[in-house]
Amino acid sequence: MNLKPGVGKTTSAVWLAHALYESGMSPLLVDGDPAASALRWSELANGFPFPVIALPVGDVHRRVNDFLGDRQAVVFDAPQLEDHPRIARSIMRYAGEWIVPVTPAPIELDRMAPIRGEMADVQSLRAEPARSAVLLNRTNRPDATRTGPDADAREALTERGFEVLDTHIARLDLYAQSFGNPVQAKGSAYMDFAEELIKRQDEA
């Protein structure tokens, strides 16, 4: 989830769903964006090895269980909050973990304050609070979030009260040019992402 488009929500959702599948789980990928990018990606790739459904409706949290079956995980591709708040908030009401992909750039960090407000509003509607974390996306180099310029973004987000995942996604053509193509998550940062989320779920 994020306020804006173009931050890597669809790429993150699709790659995460593949990583969960390759980890031995049986995910359901829910495309909640009216643009239907995740669904279109699956069509261009001649299908994903798990179901993808389009559900761009304002009551996703009430409907998604009808499609769940025996699936062990649900990954949502949420639309941008600024244009489709009803759908995005409905997804947030259902999802147990909210992931905010953020590029470590000043303009992106500046947009994080209103996201905190949205999170607080939706938490008040839930029976149990959701976990939330920032995924640093399109980082400048593999070690950038620890020792390079992107370390400033991690520190700034932490100071503002956001939990930042240990995993980060480097700026690579492998991810940027993957739309419409089959995905192999093994050996990628998205496998680390999936493993970190599974660990967070187990700890919770």
Side-chain angles (χ1 to χ4, degrees), residues 29-74:
L29 177 58
V30 177
D31 191 342
D33 193 333
S37 297
L39 185 63
R40 179 59 178 158
W41 188 337
S42 70
E43 292 172 349
L44 292 172
N46 294 319
F48 291 159
F50 44 81
V52 183
I53 63 168
L55 210 57
V57 293
D59 59 347
V60 182
H61 62 288
R62 295 191 182 98
R63 297 194 192 189
V64 70
N65 282 342
D66 294 340
F67 303 92
L68 190 56
D70 60 355
R71 298 286 153 182
Q72 298 166 296
V74 185

Side-chain angles (χ1 to χ4, degrees), residues 89 116-126:
R89 289 170 185 157
R116 284 189 64 85
E118 292 284 352
M119 287 179 170
D121 288 347
V122 179
Q123 291 284 25
S124 68
L125 302 174
R126 294 176 54 97

